[in-house]
């Protein structure tokens, strides 16, 4: 079990991987104007998104234009993007760099809107496999995931936050790391549903990334993350 959550070094300098639990349901979707298909938004930032279909998808080639609407629990956003890469069932899309589109994306993905949709997956009962040392797991579909791991005695051992394209990690005895999310893919596992994330780590901790994550944690409702846990996390990220 432990191997799944340890650091896995890649062949590239400052690139690192993490294998983390994946929640099997996503309420953040994209509907294409071209083929009316509904895609799951696997990852999203202010500049682009990664979308997925369960069945085969070869409708779009790299540099083709993709138009449609993002839907998220009652909110809708019309976007236009350029396909940057494609696989059998995934597309990497960069939003067209028009001010109106990018401003609308930022408004759609404000911290307050993201926090409103956070779910405490560590409290979900029935059918969800939770790793034994995962103390808190908060998820807001594509934009945010917060993992808080614990030692055997219950003390916090590691904190990992994925916030749009930002990655922040604190580990007991190791310290802080910050970076940018590069990609993620599904991992086949007989025990857990997982994703493999690839990050480009900063040579030095990035104060701006830390501030973004601290600001996020500080407005999480206490029924999702207890106040003492918030205080601890903010202190470790300072």
């Amino acid at each position: 079990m432990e191997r799944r959550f340890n650091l896995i070094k890649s062949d590239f300098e400052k690139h690192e991987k993490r294998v983390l639990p994946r929640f099997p349901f996503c309420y953040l979707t994209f509907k294409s104007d071209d083929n009316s298909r509904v895609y799951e938004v696997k990852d999203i930032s202010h500049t682009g998104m990664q979308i997925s279909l369960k069945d085969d998808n070869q409708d779009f080639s790299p540099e083709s234009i993709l138009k449609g609407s993002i839907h998220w629990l009652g909110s809708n956003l019309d976007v236009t993007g350029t396909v940057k890469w494609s696989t059998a069932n995934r597309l990497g899309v960069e939003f067209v760099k028009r001010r109106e589109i990018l401003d609308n994306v930022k408004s759609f993905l404000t911290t307050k809107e993201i926090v409103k949709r956070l779910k405490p997956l560590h409290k979900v009962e029935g059918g969800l496999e939770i790793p034994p040392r995962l103390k808190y797991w908060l998820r807001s579909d594509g934009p945010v995931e917060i993992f808080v791991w614990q030692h055997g005695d219950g003390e916090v051992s590691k904190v990992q936050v994925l916030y749009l394209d930002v990655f922040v990690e604190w580990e007991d005895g190791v310290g802080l790391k910050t970076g940018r999310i590069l990609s993620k893919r599904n991992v086949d596992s007989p025990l857990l549903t997982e994703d493999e994330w690839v990050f480009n780590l900063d040579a030095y901790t990035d104060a701006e990334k830390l501030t973004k994550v601290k600001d996020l944690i500080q407005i999480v409702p206490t029924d999702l993350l207890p106040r003492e846990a918030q205080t601890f996390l903010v202190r470790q990220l300072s």
Side-chain angles (χ1 to χ4, degrees):
M1 181 69 70
E2 187 66 23
R3 65 160 185 85
R4 263 186 285 281
F5 313 116
N6 284 339
L7 176 152
I8 307 169
K9 290 187 181 293
S10 75
D11 295 328
F12 302 97
E13 184 180 3
K14 296 182 182 177
H15 288 193
E16 292 186 5
K17 299 178 183 179
R18 304 288 188 277
V19 179
L20 297 167
R22 180 174 78 249
F23 186 60
F25 305 107
C26 181
Y27 302 99
L28 183 63
T29 61
F30 171 80
K31 185 175 181 180
S32 167
D33 290 347
D34 299 279
N35 56 25
S36 296
R37 286 183 171 182
V38 177
Y39 299 76
E40 179 182 336
V41 179
K42 304 293 291 185
D43 190 18
I44 191 169
S45 71
H46 289 149
T47 58
M49 62 183 176
Q50 182 182 149
I51 58 178
S52 173
L53 272 181
K54 290 184 178 179
D55 56 350
D56 187 59
N57 165 46
Q58 291 295 337
D59 291 341
F60 299 97
S61 58
E63 300 306 318
S64 61
I65 298 298
L66 180 64
K67 294 183 179 181
S69 296
I70 298 173
H71 304 276
W72 196 19
L73 297 174
S75 296
N76 303 308
L77 174 68
D78 293 332
V79 294
T80 301
T82 304
V83 176
K84 290 301 180 181
W85 55 264
S86 64
T87 63
N89 59 5
R90 290 205 184 195
L91 295 172
V93 180
E94 181 182 56
F95 298 133
V96 171
K97 294 178 181 178
R98 291 206 301 264
R99 183 169 183 175
E100 179 184 0
I101 291 177
L102 296 181
D103 285 348
N104 288 341
V105 172
K106 287 182 179 180
S107 296
F108 188 77
L109 295 174
T110 64
T111 303
K112 288 184 178 180
E113 287 299 312
I114 291 170
V115 168
K116 278 167 50 178
R117 293 169 171 82
L118 276 174
K119 304 175 189 68
L121 299 186
H122 54 280
K123 293 183 178 181
V124 173
E125 296 181 359
L128 182 62
E129 185 79 25
I130 301 290
R133 292 195 177 181
L134 184 52
K135 188 171 186 177
Y136 301 111
W137 180 7
L138 303 180
R139 184 176 189 270
S140 187
D141 294 309
V144 163
E145 293 208 53
I146 300 172
F147 300 93
V148 180
W149 304 87
Q150 61 186 345
H151 291 295
D153 61 3
E155 293 297 316
V156 174
S157 63
K158 185 185 297 185
V159 178
Q160 294 160 316
V161 181
L162 312 170
Y163 180 19
L164 297 174
D165 59 349
V166 168
F167 172 68
V168 170
E169 178 179 76
W170 171 84
E171 185 173 2
D172 187 23
V174 177
L176 281 167
K177 293 182 179 180
T178 62
R180 181 170 60 88
I181 298 170
L182 296 180
S183 67
K184 78 172 184 177
R185 68 177 182 87
N186 293 354
V187 175
D188 294 327
S189 167
L191 299 177
L192 292 170
T193 305
E194 299 169 321
D195 281 322
E196 179 186 82
W197 298 77
V198 180
F199 308 100
N200 184 8
L201 293 186
D202 300 316
Y204 303 95
T205 53
D206 186 318
E208 184 177 352
K209 292 185 177 73
L210 292 176
T211 297
K212 286 182 179 179
V213 169
K214 285 188 290 185
D215 290 346
L216 169 75
I217 290 173
Q218 287 174 325
I219 65 170
V220 173
T222 54
D223 61 327
L224 302 183
L225 188 66
R227 181 64 62 193
E228 60 270 20
Q230 290 185 31
T231 301
F232 176 86
L233 298 185
V234 170
R235 184 169 65 247
Q236 300 310 319
L237 297 177
S238 298

